[in-house]
Amino acid sequence: MTIFQDAPQAVVFGDDALLDRLHTPVWIFDIEQEKMRYANAAALRFWEAEAPQELYNRDFSPTMSEATRRRLADYLPRLTGGEVIDEHWSFYPGGQAVSLHCRCSHLVMSDGRSGMLVEGVDSAVSLDASSLRALEAVRHSSMMVSVFDDKGRLLVRNPAALEARGALASFHDCFTDRDLAERLLPQLEQESRCSLEAIMRLNDGARWHHVDMCHATDPETGRPMIVMGELDITSRKVLEGAQRVSHRQLEVVIEGLDLGLLLEDEHRRVIVANQAFCDLFGIEAPPESLAGMDCREAAQSTKGYFTEPDAFVARIEELVVTRRKQTRDLLAMANGRFLERAYTPLFVADEYHGHLWAYRDVTRQKRQQAFWAHQASTDPLTGLANRRSFEEAAQRVARSVEDGEFEAALLMIDIDRFKAINDSLGHAEGDKGLKLLANTLRDNLRPSDLPCRTGGEEFMVIMPDMAHEEAESVAWRLLRRIAEATVDAQELPFHFTVSIGVTRFRPSDANISAVTQRADAAMYQAKDDGRNCVAARW
């Protein structure tokens, strides 16, 4: 006779047990302790046990997966509540898989705890090997799978869904937005499939899920049912939210810069541009409309803005081909403005992903630099080049003469008795004379000549590409023009003359001092000769 450890005594009559006479396996399983408490003769054969006690002593823990434990843990309160659960199970009594349709119900064991009475029953649904494997995959999958009838009542869940949402039984309970759930049911009647991302309710709160739903037919009743699969995408949604914030922050930074920015992909297509870029190039369209534009065409269409159009395009192609960072290119524009351009190739894990162009209008800076350079090299009173400019220019001319490129001459001009003018009339009147002399030089010299004020009343004129005979003629002509200018000047209360010394740059001159000393000696010779005259020393 089969030994009942926890079987109801009502089923035992004399020496025979009615349950032993059944051809279907019946057993009682202790879910909490993972032990078999009773098995009829058919169950012993099913579990390949020689005797009941062998089966009762068998340790089932190593053969139970976490998915199975979660599934049984969900069974217990449902069984205690009076529910009868019909499901397919796959067992491995001798190491080989055996599929059995099980009807599970509640049974109070002798110690008062709840056990599970399992009946192996015939089922109208026959599952082939592929279906069984698919069923096992769903049971062990981390994806949450729930099945509802067409009214939204729960039919079954896989272990992942049971663990996450065991207490929430209906279709509507799964959604934080019940109105959304209410709209989905009629929608699923019209559509065979539906996918969405939604915030779903779980036992421990709410999470973002990707939800796939489809209509199917209940193999037991033939009625419509809804199969719902869910994947947790909360981490992705959090990341997307952070990316949106970062993207917006980047947009604000980009738009706030006074740099014109243009980001291209590796195929020379515009990814993003800012308003400053559009403003620099006179583009009236909004920057977002440039996305996807071919940058080669854009370069060709804008090259006319620059003083060297072809060089502008060629330099772009050179930078893109070499893919080396270039922090500064100065571009002169046809309208007189200047742009500074930086090129930065973008690499991610040594893989090229396009490049960034940054343009900055540096017109004001260039003009300021030019102004400072002019101030540093110009006499503020007369506007002529100062001593610093004279020395730099004289050195350049001396090198050319030494190299045999051309001849050159130098004039030294000094106002006669200028100290007496300053002492008697004051420096303000003397400054008028200096300005008049400067203007006379500018008006009577070649564009290639460089007049300079090198001292109080001392002036120098560098004359490149001039023979010394011609230089002496120019000196006498200047002498007369200066004398005439002082006579004709209405604003001057005095008349003055100058003495001019003339010399040439010699290829053998060791330095600029040698040239200026000869000019100085010639100028003093002119003064000794009675002033208002020219003297030369070659």
Side-chain angles (χ1 to χ4, degrees), residues 472 476 500-503 519 521-526 529 533-537:
E472 191 169 357
W476 280 105
I500 303 177
V502 186
T503 191
M523 186 270 296
Y524 276 105
Q525 179 64 50
D529 291 341
C533 67
V534 175
R537 289 201 179 182

Side-chain angles (χ1 to χ4, degrees), residues 393-463:
Q395 288 172 357
R396 290 194 298 269
V397 170
R399 283 194 294 269
S400 297
V401 171
E402 183 180 1
D403 294 339
E405 295 179 16
F406 51 69
E407 295 181 87
L410 177 65
L411 307 183
M412 178 178 285
I413 304 171
D414 189 86
I415 298 177
D416 296 330
R417 298 186 175 88
F418 188 69
K419 184 176 183 305
I421 295 173
N422 274 338
D423 291 343
S424 60
L425 299 177
H427 287 281
E429 296 300 325
D431 289 348
K432 292 179 182 179
L434 295 174
K435 293 178 183 178
L436 177 63
L437 174 55
N439 291 334
T440 305
L441 293 176
R442 269 191 289 262
D443 294 341
N444 291 276
L445 290 170
R446 301 173 304 172
S448 59
D449 296 333
L450 180 64
C452 311
R453 184 188 178 199
T454 54
E457 68 271 21
E458 179 184 274
F459 293 78
M460 294 279 198
V461 179
I462 300 174
M463 294 185 291

Side-chain angles (χ1 to χ4, degrees), residues 146-148 188 191-195 211-217 224-229:
S146 305
V147 182
F148 305 90
L188 285 167
E191 303 174 8
S192 60
R193 291 185 176 275
C194 176
S195 296
V211 184
D212 286 309
M213 292 171 284
C214 68
H215 250 297
T217 301
M225 66 180 190
I226 300 169
V227 180
M228 182 170 76

Side-chain angles (χ1 to χ4, degrees), residues 469-523:
E469 299 88 351
E470 185 181 1
E472 191 169 357
S473 297
V474 171
W476 280 105
R477 179 166 54 82
L478 285 175
L479 191 79
R480 293 191 296 271
R481 293 284 188 271
I482 293 167
E484 293 168 359
T486 61
V487 172
D488 295 337
Q490 299 295 323
E491 70 277 10
L492 280 183
F494 59 90
H495 167 71
F496 68 86
T497 61
V498 297
S499 297
I500 303 177
V502 186
T503 191
R504 67 186 178 95
F505 286 82
R506 296 174 181 171
S508 60
D509 285 333
N511 49 49
I512 299 303
S513 296
V515 185
T516 57
Q517 285 173 4
R518 285 197 303 276
D520 186 65
M523 186 270 296

